[in-house]
Amino acid sequence: MSHVARKLLTIVTESALEKILPEDFKKLGARGFTITEARGQGSRGMRSGTWDENGNIRIEILCDSVTADAIAHHLQTRYYDDYAMVVFISDVMVLRPDKF
Amino acid sequence: MSHVARKLLTIVTESALEKILPEDFKKLGARGFTITEARGQGSRGMRSGTWDENGNIRIEILCDSVTADAIAHHLQTRYYDDYAMVVFISDVMVLRPDKF
Amino acid sequence: MSHVARKLLTIVTESALEKILPEDFKKLGARGFTITEARGQGSRGMRSGTWDENGNIRIEILCDSVTADAIAHHLQTRYYDDYAMVVFISDVMVLRPDKF
Amino acid sequence: MTSLDPVLLFFILGLTAGLMRADVRLPSAIYELISMLLLLTIGLKGGVELARQPVGSLAFQALAVIAMGAVLPLLAFPVLRHVGRLKRADAASVAAHYGSVSVATYAVATAYFMTREIPFEAHMPFLLAVLEIPAIVVGILLAKGLNRDIRIGQVAHEVFLGKGIVLLIGGLLIGWIAGYEGLASIKPLFFDLFKGVLALFLLEMGLITASQFSSLRQYGPFLLVFGIVMPLVSSVIGMLIGFNLGLSLGGTAMLAILAASASYIAVPAAMRISVPEANPTLSLAASLGVTFPFNVLVGIPLYHTMTEQLFAIARS
Amino acid sequence: MTSLDPVLLFFILGLTAGLMRADVRLPSAIYELISMLLLLTIGLKGGVELARQPVGSLAFQALAVIAMGAVLPLLAFPVLRHVGRLKRADAASVAAHYGSVSVATYAVATAYFMTREIPFEAHMPFLLAVLEIPAIVVGILLAKGLNRDIRIGQVAHEVFLGKGIVLLIGGLLIGWIAGYEGLASIKPLFFDLFKGVLALFLLEMGLITASQFSSLRQYGPFLLVFGIVMPLVSSVIGMLIGFNLGLSLGGTAMLAILAASASYIAVPAAMRISVPEANPTLSLAASLGVTFPFNVLVGIPLYHTMTEQLFAIARS
Amino acid sequence: MTSLDPVLLFFILGLTAGLMRADVRLPSAIYELISMLLLLTIGLKGGVELARQPVGSLAFQALAVIAMGAVLPLLAFPVLRHVGRLKRADAASVAAHYGSVSVATYAVATAYFMTREIPFEAHMPFLLAVLEIPAIVVGILLAKGLNRDIRIGQVAHEVFLGKGIVLLIGGLLIGWIAGYEGLASIKPLFFDLFKGVLALFLLEMGLITASQFSSLRQYGPFLLVFGIVMPLVSSVIGMLIGFNLGLSLGGTAMLAILAASASYIAVPAAMRISVPEANPTLSLAASLGVTFPFNVLVGIPLYHTMTEQLFAIARS
Ligand SMILES: Nc1ncnc2c1ncn2[C@@H]1O[C@H](COP(=O)(O)O)[C@@H](O)[C@H]1O
Ligand SMILES: Nc1ncnc2c1ncn2[C@@H]1O[C@H](COP(=O)(O)O)[C@@H](O)[C@H]1O
Ligand SMILES: Nc1ncnc2c1ncn2[C@@H]1O[C@H](COP(=O)(O)O)[C@@H](O)[C@H]1O
Ligand code: NA
Ligand code: NA
Ligand code: NA
């Protein structure tokens, strides 16, 4: 099997952005994403997810390095100041590189 | 502390497979797994998880490199064509290597 | 953009510890954490999450390497023997290194 | 046609909201609770009545109904394959959906008959449970033949011990053992709230139906036509079987409705495991996007009228 | 003041539990179900009554109420900006919350009026739905002016097709079409359980309110004073508008209550998307931490008494 | 023994489904809602009755019951340690479970007494809440002695402000303040649905019980015997204490039932934090896998008959 290197971009942010971000991802070249419900704590305090608007989501995007940088950059300029948000990138190996 | 290198195999796929896959994992040498509920989008369209059979699960397996490859290969030959599925592998350090 | 290297510490453990661990993290220098609901199987059997006390949580902490080691060490000495728990560390790149 | 049952207004509200992409979904935990309540209530109601009536030739009726559940997909399959030009697996899967039944449709029919005070055989929930299964078996055979490895144990477990069957049969037994007086104490939850719970359920069904419309468009007009003609044909078959079994007017109409209804829970789950190469969105688009709304809005009163005429002719 | 409604005892239980950090939260799926039930029931009740009464000058009343929803935030904004020294975006966002309405407060008021058998206009749920919107528009304009790019489509969708409005209006229409007899079968769930469901809802509201207290402390005494004075002022405005529209005593008091109430669902969601630079905890601390408990515990009977006196004076 | 209460038929349905590995679980959000409803209803019912009756020597009864809750685990511990050969922490943990109480068992007993119209003291829910606690303290002391660091604040919070106690006591207070007429408006949800909700709860308890059977097998026959003999012994102690406190027949039988019941919510949660080296599956296998089904199916009528005979002897 040929594993090929790709990037995994992970974003933890406010649930309110779930309706907005997917469109941005698409424009910037992502071919898919995965979302899980999350809660947590950071510089903007506790986000316990117990009540509608104070939950987090955790988004993962498998993509090439260029797309990962583009999305991270976009998030930084557009959302970092106003929303609870954390972004990190890691290296992964994928099986069907054409998909990402 | 002695950290030892292992692989983290992550699978995002249809909830319907939750009843089937654990047996496969065990046969192929995995000693455990972790599942979280997920939703997402990919080449097979939106899987919003709002209704019974269209949700995803996100499975993680900590294991050695051989097992990771074996499971990834098995998934590729057995499920890739018929199910929404994404698989990727990353490097991690673990504390109790005998466990994985 | 300047990506800076940090560690991602991931812990899968019993839900019962959610009330206790955040305090420990804080003392050991973590600036935040993210939690998702999980279920799974390991050496302590199935933890299906279907009923109150037998679910897991999956905790992620972005931090520097020293903090990651300190937390991992603390978990090992304090909780490993008595609780279902798995810990692993991976390398990630972050955008706002001052945050972590 | 008399005025619309208010529970159907909830269906239309859900449908409209879904088409306007308004987010009024029930949380999935609530949807699950509501399904379970409906299944238990339908079972309990049947069981309570059974306790009052002689059961009659239950085994014979079950056999007739099993035969019906096996024949309907065999009728549908060639049409799907040759007229619709679906792939073998897809044709088999869609056929299985239409041979099986929809509990939601049955629940709406129950509400319809309750309002009109039309009695029907108490063991209908039993036939409902029985009817879920044969079409699945036929569907798998159509797709795979006899020789391929299918996870037979897995599928059998999924089919016979699925939520639908366990709760229907469990409710039936509890109702039968406890009887009407025995259930008095749990009546407020299971019986008095029934139509309210059904209303919430149909709100959600409306949203789900709306979400199927986009995939429907993708598959062209064949599915649309099939989703309406197939239940019309099936209803006639169901009606004739019911009539020949000597069921009452209500029971005959109910069997017509069951025949006309298409599964969207038990069969998709079973097919996903046993015939994974079938495209699940195709079956759901037909079953949920066309047949379910057609049946609850038009079909139920239609099959009822049809059955009345059959009985009128027979009597004269 | 007469004895406390038992549903308010649940609010106090929740508040107390929250302050002692006891974990008695409802799962979020249940909280969502309960909100949906309240919205549907409020809508259905209004619709059923509408079916019995002539609607009167509905359009005119809607216009008056829209004007009120636009004026209230314009009154609040300068106070928040100059007395409270809030940043522009924060002042605009808080102002929008107070110009809009709280369905929870309305539900408690309904329970209050039911107990006292005070009638009010049947179309109140319609005015409630209408009142949700104008303050949001004004809030966005106050924060952004006309020239900035705001996700206008997104926000409009969020506002007009939010859960609150769709379920209120949907319920209203269903009630109106089906009428009182038509809804008899779903009455046990939607009407008989109403106050029990409201009690559970208020238990949770108590917990949420308690969780706002800590952020309240952070923002100093201004928010506390604003959260009490603003509804007092708004209630007088609402009352006078209701009176001049020729509403009944109950309807006039209800409009006072609506004016006094502050949104904590629709507006925060809309502001988070359209005015993200506003700090959401600020608005919620005021609206949930001060105004909601003030209104349900003190405000409702107060505005009612106030309105009685106005009517007494007017009559004499 | 009279015929089985229908709610127990739901327990048996759950048990059977669980043993056949059929997936009919309630979503966890629903399980939580249902537990909360049961706790609130039990509290409310007690409170309403309290409002009608003089309270009597409540403090003295509470003390007696606290003593009982402390003594029962002290009896169980040596047996578990020396006969069962459990590790110290495990023996202490299991002992704590059996000294505390099960709200589910109490709810089934309530239903049993309601059906037979047997009255019992209104403040029973208060004693139920009181009884949750002392065994936990004793269990921790047995496991750890006095000298070890235990997260005392954490555990105290968990114990005194757990969901069980807050909702029971909260309900009791609300019922007491509002009185029977005051609660009329919330009766449909909390009182009329009680047995239906209990039925759903027992369906789930059946599934949970079934899931304990496999771990039970693992620990051999000792746990099985202990899980039946211990409640028999405890029930006699509870009965004698109730009798000597001068409780009514119903109240005495209820105290026997409480003594016999074993915790499966409050104690496991507290033990997991304070005595983490104890194996939690061991305690749950005994408490849920043996004692709970034994009590609800056999124990409750047995303890009731036993108490009747004690009262008959005493009277003669
Ligand atoms: N150091 C961290 N490690 C892991 N997750 C974090 C960290 N900091 C923040 N988060 C997550 O990101 C969300 C937003 O962070 P913030 O913008 O810092 O409030 C938090 O609610 C957490 O879920
Ligand atoms: N590029 C991607 N990044 C992250 N997750 C993805 C990606 N593509 C697909 N997925 C996830 O994998 C599931 C199945 O993907 P697919 O088979 O491509 O439809 C989707 O529903 C997503 O949850
Ligand atoms: N090899 C593994 N890979 C992924 N997750 C694991 C693995 N082993 C254990 N886990 C997770 O960690 C939890 C506790 O593990 P354990 O202490 O081994 O029972 C399990 O319930 C799983 O969710
Ligand atoms: Na059919
Ligand atoms: Na207002
Ligand atoms: Na006990």
Side-chain angles (χ1 to χ4, degrees):
Chain A
M1 263 182 314
S2 59
H3 296 325
V4 177
R6 284 288 179 277
K7 295 290 178 184
L8 177 67
L9 176 74
T10 306
I11 307 155
V12 180
T13 190
E14 308 185 9
S15 304
L17 290 183
E18 181 162 354
K19 291 173 208 149
I20 295 177
L21 291 179
E23 214 176 302
D24 297 12
F25 298 155
K26 210 175 170 184
K27 275 188 205 148
L28 295 165
R31 311 271 289 277
F33 56 85
T34 296
I35 297 183
T36 50
E37 297 284 326
R39 49 188 180 272
Q41 197 166 319
S43 59
R44 290 180 182 246
M46 191 69 192
R47 299 189 54 80
S48 58
T50 41
W51 114 279
D52 271 24
E53 297 295 316
N54 86 340
N56 284 340
I57 48 174
R58 182 183 182 281
I59 311 171
E60 285 175 314
I61 302 174
L62 279 169
C63 53
D64 57 34
S65 162
V66 175
T67 308
D69 280 350
I71 295 176
H73 179 70
H74 172 73
L75 294 173
Q76 185 167 38
T77 52
R78 187 83 164 85
Y79 299 103
Y80 261 24
D81 291 341
D82 296 333
Y83 293 93
M85 183 178 279
V86 152
V87 176
F88 56 91
I89 298 175
S90 56
D91 293 312
V92 298
M93 307 298 291
V94 298
L95 286 182
R96 294 186 293 183
D98 49 302
K99 267 194 80 140
F100 310 106
Chain B
M1 262 180 317
S2 57
H3 297 324
V4 176
R6 285 287 179 278
K7 294 290 178 187
L8 177 69
L9 176 76
T10 306
I11 306 154
V12 181
T13 190
E14 306 185 11
S15 305
L17 290 182
E18 180 162 356
K19 292 173 206 148
I20 295 178
L21 292 179
E23 216 176 300
D24 297 12
F25 297 155
K26 209 175 170 182
K27 274 188 205 146
L28 295 166
R31 309 273 288 278
F33 56 85
T34 296
I35 297 183
T36 50
E37 298 284 328
R39 49 188 179 273
Q41 198 167 317
S43 59
R44 289 178 184 249
M46 191 67 193
R47 300 188 54 81
S48 58
T50 41
W51 114 279
D52 270 25
E53 297 295 317
N54 87 340
N56 284 340
I57 49 175
R58 183 184 181 280
I59 310 172
E60 286 175 313
I61 302 175
L62 279 169
C63 53
D64 58 34
S65 162
V66 176
T67 309
D69 279 351
I71 296 176
H73 179 71
H74 172 75
L75 294 173
Q76 185 166 38
T77 53
R78 187 83 164 82
Y79 299 103
Y80 261 24
D81 291 343
D82 295 335
Y83 293 94
M85 182 178 280
V86 152
V87 176
F88 56 92
I89 298 176
S90 57
D91 293 310
V92 297
M93 307 297 293
V94 298
L95 285 182
R96 295 186 293 184
D98 49 301
K99 268 194 81 140
F100 309 107
Chain C
M1 264 181 314
S2 57
H3 297 325
V4 175
R6 285 287 180 276
K7 294 289 178 186
L8 177 69
L9 176 75
T10 306
I11 307 155
V12 180
T13 190
E14 307 185 10
S15 304
L17 290 182
E18 180 162 352
K19 290 173 208 150
I20 294 177
L21 291 180
E23 215 177 302
D24 297 13
F25 298 155
K26 211 176 170 183
K27 273 188 205 147
L28 295 166
R31 310 272 290 277
F33 56 85
T34 296
I35 298 183
T36 49
E37 298 283 328
R39 50 189 178 271
Q41 197 166 319
S43 58
R44 289 178 185 250
M46 191 67 193
R47 299 188 55 78
S48 58
T50 40
W51 115 278
D52 270 24
E53 296 296 317
N54 86 341
N56 284 340
I57 48 174
R58 181 181 184 281
I59 310 172
E60 285 175 314
I61 301 175
L62 279 170
C63 53
D64 57 34
S65 162
V66 176
T67 308
D69 280 351
I71 295 176
H73 180 70
H74 172 74
L75 295 173
Q76 184 167 39
T77 54
R78 186 83 164 83
Y79 299 103
Y80 261 24
D81 290 342
D82 296 334
Y83 293 93
M85 183 179 279
V86 152
V87 177
F88 55 92
I89 298 175
S90 56
D91 292 312
V92 297
M93 307 298 290
V94 298
L95 285 182
R96 295 186 292 182
D98 49 302
K99 268 194 81 141
F100 309 106
Chain D
M1 207 167 81
T2 69
S3 77
L4 225 50
D5 197 305
V7 299
L8 291 181
L9 294 173
F10 282 86
F11 179 68
I12 292 168
L13 173 59
L15 202 58
T16 314
L19 292 176
M20 301 190 308
R21 295 173 180 279
D23 175 29
V24 294
R25 304 212 61 140
L26 293 174
S28 64
I30 304 304
Y31 177 78
E32 236 179 279
L33 167 68
I34 283 179
S35 318
M36 290 177 72
L37 283 176
L38 291 182
L39 288 163
L40 280 170
T41 301
I42 289 172
L44 289 169
K45 280 194 177 179
V48 162
E49 296 301 321
L50 268 191
R52 291 181 178 170
Q53 298 180 3
V55 171
S57 50
L58 208 62
F60 184 69
Q61 289 184 17
L63 281 179
V65 144
I66 287 173
M68 178 177 93
V71 166
L72 290 179
L74 291 174
L75 288 178
F77 182 72
V79 177
L80 290 157
R81 192 94 173 84
H82 301 302
V83 184
R85 294 167 187 242
L86 299 188
K87 284 188 292 183
R88 180 177 194 87
D90 286 334
S93 174
V94 174
H97 283 70
Y98 280 84
S100 187
V101 284
S102 146
V103 176
T105 310
Y106 179 84
V108 176
T110 307
Y112 175 91
F113 285 166
M114 268 164 61
T115 310
R116 283 157 191 78
E117 297 183 351
I118 303 166
F120 55 89
E121 276 72 12
H123 55 275
M124 268 300 151
F126 171 70
L127 298 184
L128 171 69
V130 165
L131 251 176
E132 282 209 343
I133 298 169
I136 295 176
V137 179
V138 173
I140 296 174
L141 291 175
L142 284 172
K144 301 268 191 179
L146 278 170
N147 53 347
R148 279 282 303 276
D149 86 306
I150 38 170
R151 299 171 177 270
I152 198 79
Q154 185 76 34
V155 173
H157 189 275
E158 185 83 20
V159 168
F160 287 101
L161 293 173
K163 214 167 242 193
I165 289 183
V166 170
L167 293 179
L168 275 178
I169 301 291
L172 209 62
L173 288 174
I174 292 176
W176 186 61
I177 296 172
Y180 191 76
E181 288 77 32
L183 293 192
S185 64
I186 62 169
K187 186 176 163 294
L189 178 60
F190 290 101
F191 293 179
D192 298 352
L193 297 191
F194 177 67
K195 283 194 106 183
V197 168
L198 182 59
L200 281 184
F201 185 73
L202 288 173
L203 177 68
E204 181 73 14
M205 289 300 297
L207 290 160
I208 295 175
T209 298
S211 72
Q212 298 302 324
F213 282 176
S214 65
S215 33
L216 194 61
R217 217 167 305 135
Q218 200 178 320
Y219 300 115
F222 169 73
L223 269 196
L224 189 72
V225 175
F226 179 83
I228 290 175
V229 174
M230 181 70 202
L232 290 174
V233 174
S234 303
S235 69
V236 174
I237 297 176
M239 179 179 74
L240 295 177
I241 293 180
F243 186 77
N244 285 307
L245 286 173
L247 297 185
S248 67
L249 193 158
T252 304
M254 196 57 112
L255 200 60
I257 292 166
L258 288 182
S261 76
S263 170
Y264 64 98
I265 295 181
V267 179
M271 287 297 130
R272 205 70 202 99
I273 289 173
S274 52
V275 189
E277 64 273 30
N279 179 353
T281 59
L282 201 86
S283 307
L284 284 178
S287 151
L288 276 178
V290 185
T291 304
F292 180 74
F294 174 75
N295 275 337
V296 298
L297 296 176
V298 181
I300 292 175
L302 181 67
Y303 311 143
H304 176 220
T305 311
M306 213 166 74
T307 311
E308 280 181 332
Q309 291 179 344
L310 177 68
F311 272 70
I313 293 167
R315 230 176 273 128
S316 65
Chain E
M1 207 166 83
T2 70
S3 78
L4 225 50
D5 196 304
V7 296
L8 291 181
L9 294 172
F10 280 85
F11 180 69
I12 291 169
L13 173 58
L15 202 59
T16 314
L19 292 176
M20 301 190 309
R21 294 173 179 281
D23 176 28
V24 293
R25 303 214 62 142
L26 295 174
S28 63
I30 305 304
Y31 177 78
E32 235 178 284
L33 168 68
I34 284 178
S35 318
M36 291 177 71
L37 283 176
L38 291 183
L39 288 163
L40 281 170
T41 302
I42 289 172
L44 288 170
K45 280 193 178 180
V48 161
E49 295 301 323
L50 268 191
R52 291 182 179 171
Q53 298 180 4
V55 172
S57 50
L58 208 63
F60 185 68
Q61 290 184 17
L63 279 179
V65 143
I66 287 174
M68 179 177 93
V71 166
L72 290 177
L74 290 175
L75 288 177
F77 182 71
V79 177
L80 291 158
R81 192 92 172 88
H82 301 302
V83 184
R85 292 168 186 243
L86 300 188
K87 284 187 291 182
R88 180 176 196 89
D90 288 333
S93 174
V94 174
H97 284 69
Y98 280 83
S100 187
V101 284
S102 145
V103 176
T105 311
Y106 179 84
V108 176
T110 307
Y112 175 92
F113 285 166
M114 269 165 60
T115 310
R116 283 157 192 78
E117 298 184 352
I118 302 167
F120 55 89
E121 275 72 12
H123 55 276
M124 269 300 153
F126 171 69
L127 298 184
L128 172 69
V130 165
L131 252 175
E132 283 208 341
I133 298 170
I136 296 176
V137 179
V138 173
I140 296 173
L141 290 175
L142 284 172
K144 302 267 189 179
L146 280 169
N147 53 346
R148 280 282 303 276
D149 86 304
I150 35 170
R151 300 172 177 269
I152 198 79
Q154 185 76 34
V155 173
H157 189 274
E158 184 84 18
V159 167
F160 288 101
L161 293 173
K163 214 168 242 192
I165 289 182
V166 170
L167 293 179
L168 275 177
I169 301 292
L172 209 62
L173 288 174
I174 292 176
W176 186 62
I177 296 172
Y180 192 77
E181 288 77 33
L183 293 191
S185 63
I186 61 170
K187 186 176 164 294
L189 177 61
F190 290 101
F191 294 178
D192 298 352
L193 297 190
F194 177 68
K195 282 194 106 183
V197 167
L198 182 59
L200 281 184
F201 185 73
L202 287 173
L203 177 67
E204 181 73 13
M205 288 301 295
L207 291 160
I208 295 175
T209 297
S211 73
Q212 298 302 323
F213 282 177
S214 64
S215 34
L216 194 61
R217 217 169 302 135
Q218 200 178 320
Y219 298 116
F222 170 74
L223 268 197
L224 188 72
V225 176
F226 179 82
I228 291 174
V229 174
M230 182 69 200
L232 290 175
V233 174
S234 303
S235 71
V236 174
I237 296 176
M239 180 180 72
L240 294 177
I241 293 180
F243 186 76
N244 286 305
L245 285 173
L247 298 184
S248 67
L249 194 157
T252 304
M254 197 56 114
L255 200 60
I257 293 166
L258 288 182
S261 75
S263 171
Y264 65 96
I265 297 180
V267 179
M271 288 294 130
R272 203 74 202 96
I273 289 172
S274 51
V275 189
E277 63 273 32
N279 179 351
T281 59
L282 201 86
S283 308
L284 284 178
S287 151
L288 276 178
V290 184
T291 304
F292 180 74
F294 174 75
N295 276 336
V296 297
L297 296 176
V298 180
I300 291 175
L302 181 66
Y303 311 144
H304 176 221
T305 312
M306 214 165 73
T307 310
E308 282 182 329
Q309 291 180 343
L310 176 68
F311 272 70
I313 293 167
R315 232 176 271 128
S316 68
Chain F
M1 206 167 82
T2 69
S3 79
L4 226 50
D5 196 305
V7 297
L8 291 181
L9 295 172
F10 281 86
F11 179 69
I12 292 169
L13 173 58
L15 202 59
T16 314
L19 292 176
M20 300 188 310
R21 294 174 181 280
D23 176 28
V24 293
R25 305 214 59 142
L26 294 174
S28 64
I30 304 304
Y31 177 77
E32 236 178 281
L33 168 68
I34 283 179
S35 319
M36 290 177 73
L37 283 177
L38 291 182
L39 288 164
L40 280 170
T41 302
I42 289 172
L44 288 170
K45 279 193 177 179
V48 162
E49 295 302 322
L50 268 190
R52 290 181 179 171
Q53 298 179 5
V55 172
S57 49
L58 206 64
F60 184 69
Q61 290 184 18
L63 280 178
V65 144
I66 287 174
M68 179 176 94
V71 167
L72 290 178
L74 291 174
L75 288 177
F77 182 71
V79 177
L80 291 157
R81 192 93 173 84
H82 301 302
V83 184
R85 293 170 186 240
L86 299 188
K87 284 188 293 182
R88 180 176 195 87
D90 287 334
S93 174
V94 174
H97 283 70
Y98 280 83
S100 186
V101 284
S102 145
V103 176
T105 312
Y106 178 84
V108 175
T110 306
Y112 176 91
F113 286 167
M114 267 166 61
T115 310
R116 283 155 193 79
E117 296 183 354
I118 302 167
F120 55 89
E121 277 72 11
H123 55 276
M124 269 299 151
F126 171 69
L127 298 183
L128 171 71
V130 164
L131 251 175
E132 283 209 342
I133 299 170
I136 296 176
V137 178
V138 172
I140 296 174
L141 290 175
L142 285 172
K144 301 268 190 176
L146 279 170
N147 54 344
R148 281 281 304 277
D149 87 304
I150 37 170
R151 301 172 176 267
I152 197 80
Q154 185 76 36
V155 174
H157 189 274
E158 184 83 19
V159 168
F160 287 101
L161 292 173
K163 215 168 242 193
I165 289 183
V166 169
L167 292 180
L168 275 178
I169 301 293
L172 209 62
L173 288 173
I174 292 177
W176 187 61
I177 296 172
Y180 192 76
E181 288 78 32
L183 293 192
S185 64
I186 62 170
K187 187 175 164 294
L189 177 60
F190 290 102
F191 293 178
D192 298 352
L193 297 190
F194 177 68
K195 283 195 109 181
V197 167
L198 183 59
L200 281 185
F201 185 74
L202 288 173
L203 177 68
E204 181 73 15
M205 290 301 296
L207 291 160
I208 295 176
T209 297
S211 73
Q212 298 302 324
F213 282 176
S214 65
S215 34
L216 194 61
R217 217 169 303 134
Q218 198 179 324
Y219 299 115
F222 169 74
L223 268 197
L224 189 72
V225 176
F226 179 83
I228 290 174
V229 175
M230 182 69 201
L232 290 175
V233 175
S234 302
S235 70
V236 174
I237 296 177
M239 180 180 73
L240 293 178
I241 292 180
F243 186 75
N244 285 304
L245 285 173
L247 297 186
S248 67
L249 194 156
T252 304
M254 196 56 112
L255 201 59
I257 293 166
L258 288 183
S261 77
S263 172
Y264 64 96
I265 296 180
V267 179
M271 287 295 130
R272 204 71 202 99
I273 289 173
S274 51
V275 189
E277 63 273 31
N279 179 351
T281 59
L282 202 87
S283 307
L284 283 178
S287 151
L288 276 178
V290 185
T291 305
F292 180 74
F294 174 75
N295 275 336
V296 297
L297 297 177
V298 181
I300 291 175
L302 181 67
Y303 311 143
H304 176 221
T305 312
M306 212 166 76
T307 310
E308 280 182 330
Q309 291 179 342
L310 176 68
F311 271 71
I313 294 167
R315 230 177 272 126
S316 65

